[in-house]
Amino acid sequence: MNTATFPEGFVWGVSTSAFQIEGATAVDGRGPSIWDTFSADRAESCDHYHRYQEDVRLMKDLGMAAYRFSVSWPRAFPDGSGKVNPAGLDFYDRLVDELLGSGITPYATLYHWDLPQALEDAGGWPNRDTARHFAEYAGAVHDRLGDRVDTWFTINEPWVSAFLGYGSGIHAPGRKSAADAFRSAHHLLLAHGLGAQALRAAGAAKVGAVLNLSPVLTPAQVSDVGRPLSAEDAEAVARIDTLVNRQFLDPMLRGAYPGGLLPIVERTAGLGHVRDGDLELIAQPVDLLGVNYYTPLVVQAQPSEPADPAFPGSEGVLFCTVPTAVTAMGWPIVPSCLSLLLRRLATEFPGTELMITENGADFVDVVTGDGIHDVERISFVEEHLRAVRAAVQEGVKVRGYLVWTLLDNLEWADGYQRKFGLVHVDFVTQRRRLKDSALWYRDVIKRNGLTESRPKRPTLETVAARARVSRATVSRVVNGEVSVSPEAREAVLRAVRELGYVPNAAARSLVTRRTNTVVLVLSAPRQGGDQLTAAVVQYVTSMLEGAGKQITLMLADTAESHRRIVQHVEAGFADGVVLLPPDRGDTLTERLARTGVPIVLLGKPAIASLVPYVDVDNTGGAQAATQHLLSGGRRRIGMVCGPMDLVATQDRLAGHRSALAGAGLRPLVAPAELSRASGAAAARQLLGDDPALDAIFAASDQLAIGALQAVRESGRRVPEHLAIVGFDDIDAASVTTPALTTVRVPVADQALAVARLLLSRLERRHTESVVLPTRLVIRDSA
């Protein structure tokens, strides 16, 4: 078999981080970190602190040459600075010795997001002193381990620490301040520079840092990277690239911030934290740049778009979802972008040695009696390795590749639901089990490469021939049926093991009589539903067809069409149904649910437990909209509300009432239908009932646009006399006069969630309804 080899000496291994796997959070003097304070989950995770010998043995058995681990700062310095904790560093002594004894090279990362809580209490990363304390910590760790650790990484993914921890607040410590995010970013870079100085002064052989880097593209460029851009899109791409990538690459490797960044920082946070000499300190020579790549960022210009809290300075830029395969976290899978990224780094920073320090994916793993067949993860890693090899063949200097990650672990704010590991961990018993991806990776390491052509997977027929049984017998064994003799079962299972066969839809269909067809039922247009219907047709069709399903479109607009749909499903012509429920109640959902065929709804039904559904947080969105009006001093707030037989309207009314009740106010509600004319009529009614009205919240943008018209006709100015807020963020919302403040619903994300939910149901996985967050978009009308 021909092998697509990597260069001699190419380093193969895995990466982990302390907080995610060590556990032992209150053992041997360890102090609390910001993640102990922030996380709702107990961080005992994989108990690597006590089971490191078993985990090192797993790595040795898999042929790993390198292990990138992180040192827990609060384990070394419980108070963040001052007196070192020898017992905490003893663990890393033992770990490094165990690694070297097993022939595995240790790569140490000094900061992987677990800031000591004591330093956060003193100001955290927005405080310049934190960088100075980091240098002290770096020197102390090197004093203990430097005689055995050759390569040191100072900081890991500073963008995440700064902008998710201090900007959007979705990571520890949970602060929400754009100014603090930019200050944190600078001080993390300063910590890198000071830490690199301390390490080199102590005699460190090689020093580097690890950055999360993502190519920034427009949706069209994802499939055609050379696609020319409009001036507006080119500016949007360049600005996000500056905020995410160049904000860290340029100071580290060029000693200067990129053009265009400092004006954003200055108007957001000022520049008092950037002092003379800082950039010279940050630009310490690096021996190795760690590259963490998972997915690209896809954007396009969108006037009136507010800044995303994680990307302060991103006004006028829309972050897009693209119709491509995604991981269980919804991250687009685009391996070609890794080649693109590596080529760019080699061109812009020639001579810098690179290492893929993280690359991997979260998928839903199913534990079976004969193993964990994570075919999707194998495919993900294989395709990204092919992307790395393509770059290497073009002359890019890549030292090695480290999979993220060794073990299923505590995935930060997402808790234990995410599965990135090559090794499955039962968090109750702490039992480790190798997934198929671990065994596959072992073989890649052994031959230092991939097979030149992708091996042909054994088929149902291959297994049947090897076991000398029928295809139906193989299918019954695969599906766990008991009506198979012990002898035949053993023969099939032996053939499965010998051939490395992974059961697929063909094997299951002999028992389940699958058609590989999904019915997409489109009902009458929903409230503001044109965009949503279009997204469902585009994304659901793309994802399901990518999973090998055929799509049948059926329209549910009459009683006769409902009867035909039910008959079609009852006759066994469909494996599953995606249903866009109509705006008015009917019995179609209930009738389809009785067929026993997996169904997923787009939109919350009146009886929420009937079938799984995907919806948005209508209640929370309405609360946010009303609270925004209240925070602006508005106290006489009316609601244009309707139609009341829509579940979404009922939830939005409930959220509005809840926010008013919290302020000690009573609601003033005017009913409406779906049209702008109805919104205008309801607004006139509200103004007639309360001439001192100072705000209107409308249950939809169409109603809000009608209300804008009625308010202008009354001689009042918006927002000086009366503020208006809508819901949905339809295309017209940003171009009204004035531009409409509204609540954005994630249209594409809803469509993708529907497709993923149905695929999970078809695979008989545990499924629950999905409620996606909404986001307030503040414009001139409020």
Side-chain angles (χ1 to χ4, degrees):
M1 183 182 294
N2 294 327
T3 301
T5 57
F6 283 75
E8 185 178 352
F10 191 82
V11 177
W12 300 96
V14 289
S15 288
T16 66
S17 85
F19 181 76
Q20 292 180 273
I21 68 167
E22 283 182 1
T25 53
V27 172
D28 292 335
R30 178 189 181 275
S33 77
I34 54 175
W35 277 98
D36 295 289
T37 304
F38 181 83
S39 177
D41 291 283
R42 286 181 56 80
E44 299 314 306
S45 192
C46 311
D47 194 27
H48 177 70
Y49 190 84
H50 297 111
R51 299 171 186 267
Y52 69 93
Q53 291 173 310
E54 177 185 358
D55 295 335
V56 172
R57 187 164 59 252
L58 282 173
M59 288 186 274
K60 180 180 180 181
D61 291 344
L62 292 171
M64 307 288 182
Y67 176 48
R68 174 179 165 248
F69 65 94
S70 77
V71 178
S72 168
W73 189 348
R75 210 178 280 288
F77 285 90
D79 296 322
S81 62
K83 186 178 179 181
V84 70
N85 174 32
L89 290 177
D90 286 346
F91 166 69
Y92 300 103
D93 255 336
R94 298 190 296 271
L95 174 62
V96 168
D97 286 345
E98 191 74 21
L99 289 166
L100 293 173
S102 299
I104 300 171
T105 300
Y107 287 69
T109 302
L110 288 168
Y111 185 68
H112 200 129
W113 308 351
D114 51 352
L115 184 71
Q117 183 61 43
L119 292 184
E120 173 61 22
D121 293 341
W125 282 112
N127 182 354
R128 188 180 181 89
D129 285 343
T130 304
R132 179 174 55 81
H133 293 313
F134 175 79
E136 172 193 359
Y137 154 64
V141 177
H142 186 276
D143 287 346
R144 177 64 79 91
L145 306 178
D147 58 331
R148 287 154 292 157
V149 175
D150 178 78
T151 303
W152 296 82
F153 293 112
T154 52
I155 56 176
N156 177 82
E157 299 190 356
W159 181 87
V160 175
S161 293
F163 291 94
L164 300 190
Y166 292 89
S168 68
I170 64 174
H171 273 207
R175 292 204 227 171
K176 298 180 180 180
S177 165
D180 281 346
F182 280 120
R183 295 187 190 105
S184 296
H186 181 72
H187 293 149
L188 281 156
L189 286 166
L190 187 62
H192 159 73
L194 293 171
Q197 277 191 335
L199 289 167
R200 293 195 189 282
K206 296 182 179 66
V207 178
V210 175
L211 301 180
N212 58 298
L213 300 170
S214 296
V216 184
L217 310 168
T218 63
Q221 287 181 311
V222 173
S223 56
D224 179 8
V225 71
R227 179 74 67 89
L229 300 180
S230 67
E232 295 80 8
D233 280 346
E235 190 280 329
V237 166
R239 182 150 38 104
I240 300 306
D241 182 56
T242 293
L243 290 169
V244 176
N245 297 319
R246 296 185 61 201
Q247 181 171 191
F248 301 96
L249 283 168
D250 285 20
M252 277 188 181
L253 302 179
R254 289 190 172 125
Y257 276 120
L261 178 69
L262 290 182
I264 296 174
V265 177
E266 184 173 25
R267 69 171 181 259
T268 306
L271 293 175
H273 58 287
V274 182
R275 300 184 184 176
D276 290 345
D278 281 1
L279 287 165
E280 289 78 5
L281 277 173
I282 291 167
Q284 299 298 306
V286 297
D287 302 292
L288 185 63
L289 177 65
V291 176
N292 291 357
Y293 171 77
Y294 291 96
T295 191
L297 282 169
V298 184
V299 304
Q300 64 186 40
Q302 177 68 54
S304 302
E305 182 72 14
D308 186 302
F311 302 86
S314 63
E315 298 87 354
V317 178
L318 178 67
F319 289 84
C320 307
T321 303
V322 293
T324 186
V326 295
T327 69
M329 293 184 76
W331 294 351
I333 302 173
V334 190
S336 61
C337 280
L338 179 52
S339 299
L340 183 69
L341 172 63
L342 293 172
R343 287 195 295 267
R344 171 193 175 176
L345 293 171
T347 300
E348 294 190 13
F349 308 101
T352 302
E353 188 171 14
L354 308 174
M355 186 174 204
I356 308 301
T357 39
E358 288 184 27
N359 178 238
D362 167 41
F363 291 108
V364 178
D365 295 326
V366 179
V367 180
T368 69
D370 63 335
I372 303 163
H373 307 303
D374 55 337
V375 179
E376 294 166 309
R377 185 170 292 105
I378 292 173
S379 176
F380 181 97
V381 175
E382 179 177 8
E383 294 305 319
H384 284 80
L385 280 174
R386 292 189 186 280
V388 173
R389 185 172 181 270
V392 169
Q393 287 181 310
E394 294 175 19
V396 180
K397 296 168 61 176
V398 183
R399 176 192 291 191
Y401 177 91
L402 308 180
V403 172
W404 183 270
T405 179
L406 177 66
L407 306 168
D408 288 341
N409 56 33
L410 177 60
E411 184 54 31
W412 305 110
D414 283 336
Y416 292 106
Q417 65 176 312
R418 303 300 180 190
K419 307 297 180 186
F420 277 86
L422 299 175
V423 179
H424 174 268
V425 178
D426 182 325
F427 295 110
V428 176
T429 66
Q430 290 298 333
R431 180 188 176 190
R432 274 80 161 137
R433 293 184 65 181
L434 299 178
K435 303 177 188 178
D436 284 358
S437 57
L439 303 175
W440 173 86
Y441 192 48
R442 177 196 61 191
D443 294 339
V444 170
I445 295 171
K446 187 181 298 183
R447 61 177 172 259
N448 192 37
L450 303 161
T451 55
E452 190 70 59
S453 58
R454 293 161 179 78
K456 186 177 180 180
R457 297 190 185 280
T459 64
L460 185 69
E461 290 77 8
T462 311
V463 176
R466 175 69 67 91
R468 298 184 178 180
V469 298
S470 69
R471 294 170 71 251
T473 298
V474 175
S475 184
R476 282 193 287 272
V477 172
V478 165
N479 284 276
E481 286 200 358
V482 297
S483 59
V484 180
S485 71
E487 295 80 10
R489 182 180 304 280
E490 177 56 33
V492 169
L493 293 178
R494 183 169 56 250
V496 166
R497 288 192 298 271
E498 291 172 353
L499 293 169
Y501 174 68
V502 178
N504 58 19
R508 290 186 289 265
S509 66
L510 289 178
V511 171
T512 60
R513 296 180 181 174
R514 289 192 172 184
T515 65
N516 281 331
T517 298
V518 170
V519 174
L520 178 54
V521 179
L522 303 179
S523 59
R526 291 166 54 86
Q527 180 182 7
D530 289 346
Q531 288 175 271
L532 190 56
T533 300
V536 168
V537 173
Q538 177 185 3
Y539 291 111
V540 171
T541 300
S542 176
M543 276 196 71
L544 293 178
E545 286 182 343
K549 309 299 179 186
Q550 298 179 13
I551 309 300
T552 299
L553 289 174
M554 302 187 78
L555 184 62
D557 58 346
T558 64
E560 176 59 23
S561 66
H562 289 192
R563 186 187 64 78
R564 285 198 307 270
I565 292 167
V566 173
Q567 282 184 335
H568 184 84
V569 174
E570 285 179 336
F573 295 139
D575 294 337
V577 178
V578 174
L579 174 62
L580 276 71
D583 284 328
R584 299 298 191 264
D586 64 62
T587 61
L588 181 58
T589 301
E590 182 181 353
R591 293 161 68 190
L592 286 172
R594 289 200 297 265
T595 67
V597 173
I599 301 173
V600 172
L601 295 183
L602 181 62
K604 178 180 171 184
I607 305 175
S609 62
L610 192 60
V611 294
Y613 64 88
V614 173
D615 203 355
V616 298
D617 185 5
N618 289 296
T619 301
Q623 286 177 324
T626 307
Q627 286 166 355
H628 172 69
L629 291 170
L630 291 168
S631 68
R634 313 285 176 167
R635 286 297 179 271
R636 305 177 79 88
I637 304 172
M639 181 176 179
V640 175
C641 190
M644 283 308 302
D645 56 348
L646 294 181
V647 175
T649 300
Q650 296 165 16
D651 287 347
R652 293 172 190 182
L653 177 58
H656 174 68
R657 283 175 166 164
S658 174
L660 289 179
L665 302 175
R666 299 182 65 181
L668 177 63
V669 177
E673 285 300 318
L674 292 172
S675 66
R676 295 183 184 183
S678 179
R684 294 186 194 101
Q685 178 183 331
L686 288 171
L687 291 169
D689 292 342
D690 185 354
L693 199 72
D694 60 13
I696 291 176
F697 169 55
S700 76
D701 287 345
Q702 295 286 6
L703 297 177
I705 292 171
L708 274 171
Q709 176 186 346
V711 169
R712 283 196 299 267
E713 290 171 353
S714 73
R716 294 171 172 84
R717 292 196 303 273
V718 178
E720 291 85 355
H721 298 150
L722 189 146
I724 296 181
V725 179
F727 207 114
D728 289 325
D729 198 22
I730 62 174
D731 290 340
S734 63
V735 294
T736 58
T737 304
L740 183 65
T741 292
T742 184
V743 177
R744 169 166 302 157
V745 297
V747 173
D749 288 347
Q750 287 181 80
L752 290 168
V754 165
R756 289 195 290 268
L757 188 58
L758 182 63
L759 287 173
S760 293
R761 295 209 73 197
L762 293 175
E763 294 297 327
R764 301 180 181 178
R765 300 171 184 166
H766 174 70
T767 56
E768 294 181 352
S769 296
V770 176
V771 178
L772 298 168
T774 55
R775 182 159 70 91
L776 185 66
V777 180
I778 300 173
R779 300 193 181 106
D780 294 341
S781 73

